[in-house]
Amino acid sequence: MTDRFRITLGQLNPTVGDLDGNARKAREAFAAAKAAGADMLALPEMFITGYQTQDLVLKAAFTADAEAHLVQLAKDCAVGPAIGIGGPWRDGGKLYNAFWILQGGKVVARVLKHDLPHQQLFDEMRLFDAGPVSGPYRIGPLRIGSPICEDSWWPEVSETLAETGAEILLIPNGSPYHRSKLDLRMTHIVSRVVETGLPAVYLNAVGGQDDQLYDGASFVLNPGESGGVDKVMQLAPFDEIVTHVDFVRTPSGWRAEKGEMAHQPDEWEQDYRAMTEGLRDYMRKSGFKTALLGMSGGIDSALVATIAADALGPENVLCVMLPSEYTSAESLEDASDCANRLGIRIETVRIDGARDAVDGALAHLMAGTKPDLTEENIQSRLRGVLLMALSNKFGGLLLTTGNKSEVAVGYSTIYGDMAGGYNPIKDLYKTRVFETCRWRNANHRDWMKGKSGEVITPRIISKPPSAELRPDQKDQDSLPPYEVLDAILDGLVERDLSVKEIVAMGHEPEVVLKVQGLLYASEWKRYQAAPGPRISRKAFWLDRRYPLVNRWRDKA
């Protein structure tokens, strides 16, 4: 009887809809598994289609094409290890999220996802049918149970697999990133290992898909000899990795041998990596090679420029200053200095002439009125027009630079500074913007294509934020201090607290009510905002979907 079993793990980055490319990745991983003498290659959830497909998977032609690619993959990889790979399966008028088992040129089994996630950013209940709880499948000497992603977060599926003879759990995932997600996953899988007494392989995808990031960080757990669990393998987050885990038969059952134990960075590094990889993958998968942004001399555009340089390389980023007479000399100096420190080309396009032309065109209609927010927004919208013109002419993706605090309360101009195709800091509150800049100045990693050192000067970080659309304007003329604003938004958005609960935390009732009013009144702006990487548990649009028209307001 064979007492060893090797599984090759493909912590890889599929692209939604790229069936040929995803199948090619699978074949390359199969070749590595075969060369390593593996018994099985494991790939993540819905790997052949990429994840999440959203309503694309409802198109019958797409599903049929994906299934044909899996059947062909089985034929192409007939000699060598078995393959476990995620993909859709349509059967008898029902559509399933399935884990296909390929061996000897054929499809030998399909495991069907039973627990369909329907909270936060997931909507699988409207896409897939819930499959029955599947039993284990056999590859050589080993009976393997594969709860698919959400199936492993609850006891039922894993317990049934253990009761029906599974000897290990191999869990394929498309588990998206948010801050501290690895700890949450570990809590669930530790419970499954303790409950079943079986070792578990948690295999996750990596890469960006629209607003979502998949961070990998795959791991392997053994039951502890005297209770609890032992972690015997931990893969690095965000990196594509093909590696192997060896199982041996022991008197206590099959156990994984010790393997790689990669360092897991802290939340500041993981958030920054998520924003960088989100931008990099969005551009690569969408076909963009260069990016541009408006560089104001403020902290938000400085951070976005830094993320862009790290994601794409400084040579592929263009910064544009768009000053008016309200732009301070200090802002121009800071914008130029930051771009130079990053090694990014920076150009200047003044908006005075264009603004005067617009003012002149509207003068006969606005005669007798006083300048107000209208004139300020004209400036911002002209900047959007000019930046979009450069994007159209030269093919670069325009990046927007609004942080989560501004996005939350609508402190931005629709069709102005909100214009663009992607926002790397969309899910980062302003107070975290400050700290992230400090972190990046002090840290450089090999996955960053930008320069090391102090790329964002302390003056940019410390000066009072301003839109500079009127004389001596400061953000705090219109908003509470950001440390107050972000604390209130954390209560309203992240934790869904009532106004009374937030007031009880020590905030002034009128300030909380003002922030709540701005939050609800800005929903229509967020509906039209550029996508950006989800790094928190409660990102706008993905996790928090409110009506555009909403007349309810909580009371103090």
Side-chain angles (χ1 to χ4, degrees):
M1 179 180 292
T2 304
D3 291 323
R4 296 187 67 84
F5 192 92
R6 170 169 282 189
I7 301 177
T8 295
L9 305 179
Q11 179 177 288
L12 297 174
N13 182 357
T15 299
V16 166
D18 186 6
L19 302 179
D20 290 340
N22 298 338
R24 188 180 312 112
K25 279 181 176 283
R27 291 187 182 91
E28 291 169 354
F30 174 82
K34 184 176 181 179
D39 299 282
M40 182 179 184
L41 165 67
L43 294 166
E45 177 181 16
M46 292 293 284
F47 185 82
I48 195 67
T49 59
Y51 193 66
Q52 295 189 56
T53 61
Q54 298 180 318
D55 286 9
L56 179 61
V57 79
L58 298 178
K59 188 174 283 292
F62 174 71
T63 304
D65 199 1
E67 292 181 6
H69 275 76
L70 289 168
V71 170
Q72 187 61 49
L73 181 65
K75 294 177 181 177
D76 294 344
C77 301
V79 180
I83 300 175
I85 179 171
W89 185 47
R90 192 177 295 276
D91 180 55
K94 294 187 176 183
L95 179 63
Y96 300 103
N97 177 333
F99 191 57
W100 294 55
I101 311 303
L102 317 178
Q103 189 176 33
K106 299 179 181 179
V107 179
V108 297
R110 295 183 191 88
V111 178
L112 308 181
K113 193 171 184 177
H114 176 71
D115 289 309
L116 302 177
H118 56 279
Q119 295 176 323
Q120 294 180 306
L121 71 169
F122 289 105
D123 207 8
E124 287 205 355
M125 278 191 170
R126 65 183 293 273
L127 300 176
F128 296 108
D129 293 283
V133 179
S134 305
Y137 52 90
R138 177 179 288 277
I139 304 294
L142 190 58
R143 293 190 302 275
I144 302 172
S146 285
I148 301 172
C149 200
E150 188 84 359
D151 289 344
S152 68
W153 284 47
W154 316 107
E156 179 189 8
V157 174
S158 297
E159 288 181 350
T160 301
L161 286 166
E163 291 166 359
T164 53
E167 295 170 290
I168 72 168
L169 300 176
L170 170 60
I171 306 166
N173 293 270
S175 178
Y177 174 79
H178 65 62
R179 199 171 297 129
S180 303
K181 185 68 174 285
L182 179 57
D183 291 341
L184 180 61
R185 295 180 189 129
M186 195 68 66
T187 298
H188 285 286
I189 307 308
V190 164
S191 297
R192 303 295 85 78
V193 172
V194 170
E195 291 160 358
T196 63
L198 301 179
V201 179
Y202 186 97
L203 174 62
N204 194 22
V206 294
Q209 175 58 41
D210 298 343
D211 298 65
Q212 300 161 43
L213 269 297
Y214 298 88
D215 57 314
S218 305
F219 57 86
V220 181
L221 303 178
N222 277 336
E225 292 185 7
S226 56
V229 303
D230 295 324
K231 186 195 288 189
V232 294
M233 177 177 281
Q234 175 68 69
L235 301 188
F238 297 104
D239 292 337
E240 283 198 295
I241 298 170
V242 175
T243 191
H244 318 286
V245 56
D246 291 314
F247 282 87
V248 295
R249 195 193 303 269
T250 76
S252 301
W254 288 89
R255 295 293 183 265
E257 294 185 331
K258 288 189 177 294
E260 178 182 351
M261 294 295 290
H263 168 70
Q264 299 300 296
D266 64 20
E267 67 176 42
W268 296 99
E269 179 170 342
Q270 294 224 30
D271 276 4
Y272 190 85
R273 180 79 185 269
M275 292 184 288
T276 303
E277 296 297 336
L279 173 59
R280 182 182 290 160
D281 254 10
Y282 185 82
M283 291 189 61
R284 179 179 64 83
K285 293 179 178 181
S286 300
F288 288 97
K289 298 185 183 303
T290 62
L292 72 152
L293 66 139
M295 192 74 157
S296 68
I299 192 169
D300 296 325
S301 61
L303 179 56
V304 170
T306 305
I307 292 170
D310 285 339
L312 311 172
E315 69 280 5
N316 293 313
V317 184
L318 170 65
C319 291
V320 184
M321 294 185 290
L322 299 126
S324 73
E325 70 269 28
Y326 303 127
T327 306
S328 67
E330 181 181 283
S331 291
L332 294 174
E333 292 167 5
D334 288 343
S336 181
D337 179 54
C338 184
N340 290 333
R341 287 169 181 254
L342 290 166
I344 294 174
R345 174 186 162 206
I346 187 164
E347 300 288 351
T348 300
V349 179
R350 294 201 64 87
I351 68 167
D352 312 71
R355 184 205 56 211
D356 292 344
V358 172
D359 287 347
L362 295 173
H364 66 293
L365 296 175
M366 294 188 178
T369 65
K370 294 181 179 180
D372 56 17
L373 186 62
T374 304
E375 284 75 14
E376 293 180 23
N377 284 342
I378 286 172
Q379 296 174 65
S380 181
R381 291 190 174 114
L382 283 171
R383 290 184 172 117
V385 167
L386 296 169
L387 289 168
M388 281 304 303
L390 293 172
S391 174
N392 292 160
K393 181 61 70 176
F394 299 108
L397 177 67
L398 176 58
L399 306 180
T400 66
T401 61
N403 60 72
K404 189 173 185 176
S405 308
E406 294 173 351
V407 170
V409 297
Y411 194 67
S412 54
T413 304
I414 192 76
Y415 322 125
D417 57 331
M418 289 179 66
Y422 197 80
N423 182 355
I425 64 170
K426 181 180 181 179
D427 200 25
L428 195 68
Y429 283 118
K430 186 77 167 192
T431 48
R432 294 190 74 93
V433 169
F434 289 115
E435 191 58 38
T436 300
C437 290
R438 296 186 183 99
W439 180 89
R440 175 56 177 83
N441 278 344
N443 295 276
H444 193 270
R445 301 290 185 264
D446 57 8
W447 45 264
M448 298 175 182
K449 295 184 178 183
K451 294 184 177 181
S452 61
E454 190 178 76
V455 292
I456 302 172
T457 59
R459 187 167 79 169
I460 290 177
I461 298 173
S462 62
K463 69 182 179 182
S466 172
E468 294 191 325
L469 296 174
R470 62 176 183 267
D472 301 318
Q473 183 181 20
K474 299 291 184 290
D475 288 6
Q476 290 185 21
D477 298 340
S478 305
L479 300 173
Y482 279 112
E483 60 271 17
V484 174
L485 175 62
D486 287 357
I488 294 171
L489 289 172
D490 178 73
L492 291 171
V493 176
E494 311 297 321
R495 296 192 283 162
D496 280 324
L497 299 181
S498 68
V499 168
K500 289 181 179 179
E501 288 173 309
I502 298 171
V503 170
M505 295 163 55
H507 296 285
E508 295 294 329
E510 61 272 17
V511 176
V512 180
L513 290 171
K514 176 182 178 180
V515 173
Q516 178 191 232
L518 292 170
L519 174 68
Y520 287 168
S522 302
E523 198 65 46
W524 68 281
K525 287 187 180 182
R526 289 189 290 275
Y527 193 81
Q528 302 179 64
R534 173 190 188 251
I535 59 175
S536 75
R537 290 172 177 258
K538 191 68 74 75
F540 290 122
W541 184 74
L542 287 175
D543 302 304
R544 182 186 179 278
R545 309 175 198 183
Y546 269 60
L548 304 188
V549 176
N550 167 27
R551 297 188 65 175
W552 180 83
R553 297 293 184 268
D554 196 6
K555 296 178 175 62

